[in-house]
Amino acid sequence: MIPAMDLHLLRSSTGFSAIRFFPRYPSPSPLRSRLFIKAKYHRELEAAVEAVERACRLCVDVNSLKNLNLTSCSLPIALVQRSLFSVEGRIIEKKDQTPVTVADFGVQALISLELSKSFPSIPLVAEEDSGFLRSNNLVDPVVSAVSDHMSFNKKSLSHDDVLEAIDRGGKNAFAMGTKPATYWILDPIDGTRGFVKGSQALYVVGLSLVVEGEIVLGVMGCPNWVVDATYKSTTHAQSYRNSSPGLGIIMVAHVGCGTWKKRLKNMLDSSTKISSDWTRCFVDGFCLVSDARFCIPESQTWESLPLSVLYKARIDDDNVGDKEICLLSAFCGSLCKYLMVASGRASVFILRARSEKLIKVWDHAVGMICVHEAGGKVTDWKGRELDLAADKVERRIIYPEGGILVTNGKIHNETLEMISSISSA
C-alpha cells in the first residue's frame, strides 16, 4: 500500500513551485538531510504545473480586456476587440459551431513552447491548429499574449514560432502508429462558451501526460473556481456566479501519489495573500445512487439519459425526495465536471455518446487521472476503461461504448447495472 503522502513545495529560481512527494509521518533525521521520495515523473509534473499556471494567467489577462473602458484604455481598440471576438464583434466559431478565442490559441502556443523547452522529443496532442487562426487574422494578438507570459525568449518570439508551436499539437502533426506511445494531451480551454461569458464562468486549462498508453500525470487550472464553496444545487451555483471573483485552484494528479490542489492566486490582484499549501483531494462518500449529486453535459438533458426512467432530476432544491436525484448546474465543458467529482463536490458525471458527435480525448484525459487518484472511477457504460489508443494513428478520438460514466467509485457498479438493465429493457 502506498503510504499517505503530503505534497510539499520547493521554490525554484524562477519563483514557481517544484513539486515533491514524501511520507506524511515525521522523519527522525533533520529536515535538511531528509530523503525525498520523488514522484517518478516529477520533472514532467513540475514543467506541467508551471506551464498551466502561466496559461491561466494568460486566460485571465485576455478575458479582462473585454471588460476595460475603451474610452480610457491605452490599449489599441483593435486588440481589445480581437482579444475575444472578431473585428465585427462576433464570437468566432469553428466549423463544429464551438467558440474559439485568442486565449485558446495563446494557451496552446504557450504550453507547447514551455514543454518543448524541457521535453522537445515528447509530441503534443491538442485541440487547435493555426489554419483557423490565419484565416481569421488573429495572429498578432496571439503572439502578443504569448510573449507576455513566456518564461524565456520573450523579445525574439516571431509569428512563425507561435504558429509552429500551435501546429505541434494540431491534427496531422504526427502519426503515432499502433504501438503504445508517450505524448502530452492538452485542452487549452475546456469550456470556452463559459470563458466568453465573463470572469465568473468556470473554464479549465487541462494538461496530461501519457506514457506507454497510461495516463501518468495531469494538471488542471481553473482560475474562477471558488475554493470554499459548498453549493449542492443550481441555486448555490447561481450565488457563486454573483459573488466576487474567486482565487481559483490548480489540481494535480500523479499515478500512485493521489490528487492534490492548491489555490491559484487571483492574478488581477497581486496584493491578495493566499496559502501555497497543497491539500489532498478525495471523492465524496455517498454510497447510494439516490443520494448522489449528478453532473451532465450542458448539451444533453436528464431525460436523454437511462437513469431518468428511475429518477427525476431535482434542480434548485436541496430537498430531494424519493425517486429523485440532485442535478447540479450545467457548467461549461467536461473537465470542470471531472474537477467537481475529484474534489468531492459532485458524485457522478454521466455523458451519453452520440453517434453524430466525436468524443475528443483532451476533454477527458486529465480528468480521468484526477478522478482515479482521488478514489473515483471512470469507464464507459459497459464498465470498460476508456481506450486512449482506439484512434490508432493520431490518438485524438475515443470511442466509449454507450457513453462515459465518472463516479466516486462507491456507486459505480450500481449505476452501471441500472444503465444496463434499462438499456436492455
Side-chain angles (χ1 to χ4, degrees):
M1 178 180 295
I2 298 172
M5 298 283 186
D6 272 341
L7 194 61
H8 285 250
L9 305 178
L10 300 177
R11 288 291 174 186
S12 66
S13 59
T14 60
F16 287 89
S17 303
I19 298 175
R20 297 289 186 271
F21 297 89
F22 60 84
R24 181 171 298 170
Y25 46 78
S27 169
S29 59
L31 177 64
R32 186 168 299 178
S33 61
R34 186 176 296 172
L35 178 64
F36 286 87
I37 302 175
K38 296 181 179 180
K40 183 175 182 180
Y41 301 99
H42 68 93
R43 289 183 61 247
E44 290 87 346
L45 186 56
E46 291 165 12
V49 169
E50 178 173 343
V52 171
E53 285 182 333
R54 290 183 179 277
C56 288
R57 290 178 184 148
L58 184 153
C59 290
V60 170
D61 289 346
V62 169
N63 205 339
S64 66
L65 288 177
K66 73 181 181 64
N67 297 319
L68 295 175
N69 183 346
L70 298 187
T71 59
S72 60
C73 177
S74 59
L75 292 172
I77 291 178
L79 176 59
V80 177
Q81 288 177 326
R82 286 157 58 187
S83 64
L84 287 172
F85 309 108
S86 69
V87 177
E88 295 80 15
R90 295 180 295 102
I91 294 176
I92 302 173
E93 292 188 343
K94 296 182 287 188
K95 291 181 179 179
D96 61 0
Q97 295 184 324
T98 57
V100 66
T101 71
V102 163
D104 293 86
F105 295 106
V107 166
Q108 184 158 319
L110 176 65
I111 290 182
S112 176
L113 289 166
E114 293 290 332
L115 294 179
S116 296
K117 178 177 62 174
S118 301
F119 306 100
S121 64
I122 301 180
L124 176 69
V125 173
E127 185 172 7
E128 311 299 346
D129 62 64
S130 69
F132 186 89
L133 188 67
R134 299 169 194 263
S135 62
N136 283 274
N137 194 27
L138 290 171
V139 179
D140 285 340
V142 170
V143 172
S144 177
V146 174
S147 299
D148 290 342
H149 296 85
M150 283 179 57
S151 64
F152 64 102
N153 294 333
K154 297 179 180 180
K155 294 183 179 180
S156 61
L157 192 67
S158 68
H159 283 204
D160 287 341
D161 292 333
V162 170
L163 295 172
E164 289 174 6
I166 293 171
D167 286 336
R168 176 173 171 252
K171 187 175 176 63
N172 301 321
F174 54 87
M176 294 285 187
T178 58
K179 296 182 179 180
T182 297
Y183 53 97
W184 298 101
I185 299 175
L186 170 66
D187 194 336
I189 299 182
D190 182 76
T192 303
R193 291 192 185 279
F195 177 76
V196 299
K197 290 179 181 178
S199 61
Q200 296 303 302
L202 296 181
Y203 59 92
V204 171
V205 176
L207 177 66
S208 58
L209 177 65
V210 176
V211 176
E212 299 302 306
E214 179 185 11
I215 306 172
V216 299
L217 66 86
V219 181
M220 287 195 283
C222 184
N224 294 326
W225 186 265
V226 176
V227 176
D228 299 320
T230 57
Y231 52 80
K232 297 180 180 180
S233 67
T234 304
T235 302
H236 293 79
Q238 187 61 46
S239 65
Y240 151 72
R241 290 194 182 98
N242 296 332
S243 65
S244 59
L247 296 175
I249 64 169
I250 186 165
M251 177 179 283
V252 305
H254 185 289
V255 62
C257 295
T259 299
W260 301 79
K261 67 181 178 181
K262 74 168 183 175
R263 291 192 174 191
L264 188 62
K265 188 174 182 180
N266 187 337
M267 288 162 276
L268 292 178
D269 182 5
S270 59
S271 65
T272 303
K273 294 182 179 180
I274 62 172
S275 171
S276 61
D277 293 338
W278 292 86
T279 58
R280 188 77 179 263
C281 298
F282 296 98
V283 295
D284 69 27
F286 290 117
C287 298
L288 297 175
V289 172
S290 56
D291 294 333
R293 296 166 295 184
F294 283 73
C295 290
I296 64 174
E298 58 275 8
S299 62
Q300 298 180 7
T301 64
W302 179 252
E303 289 71 26
S304 70
L305 301 173
L307 293 182
S308 63
V309 174
L310 300 175
Y311 299 98
K312 292 183 179 180
R314 171 73 67 139
I315 302 177
D316 297 329
D317 193 343
D318 295 333
N319 299 317
V320 178
D322 292 339
K323 300 299 180 181
E324 291 181 330
I325 58 92
C326 177
L327 184 61
L328 299 179
S329 178
F331 301 110
C332 295
S334 295
L335 292 184
C336 181
K337 299 174 180 67
Y338 278 96
L339 202 156
M340 295 276 285
V341 175
S343 63
R345 290 192 186 175
S347 316
V348 180
F349 167 38
I350 183 170
L351 176 151
R352 178 172 58 90
R354 297 183 297 187
S355 58
E356 69 275 13
K357 187 173 183 180
L358 296 175
I359 296 180
K360 307 297 177 59
V361 66
W362 48 76
D363 289 329
H364 300 275
V366 64
M368 290 164 58
I369 188 170
C370 287
V371 168
H372 277 302
E373 289 296 320
K377 194 169 183 178
V378 182
T379 69
D380 65 15
W381 285 10
K382 298 294 184 180
R384 294 185 288 250
E385 292 186 4
L386 304 186
D387 184 5
L388 299 183
D391 179 357
K392 297 185 182 302
V393 177
E394 295 182 332
R395 303 293 197 276
R396 302 174 71 83
I397 309 296
I398 54 178
Y399 305 96
E401 182 72 21
I404 296 174
L405 180 64
V406 182
T407 75
N408 62 10
K410 303 171 184 66
I411 59 174
H412 200 89
N413 290 339
E414 180 187 1
T415 308
L416 285 175
E417 290 172 3
M418 289 181 177
I419 292 173
S420 177
S421 61
I422 295 169
S423 299
S424 298

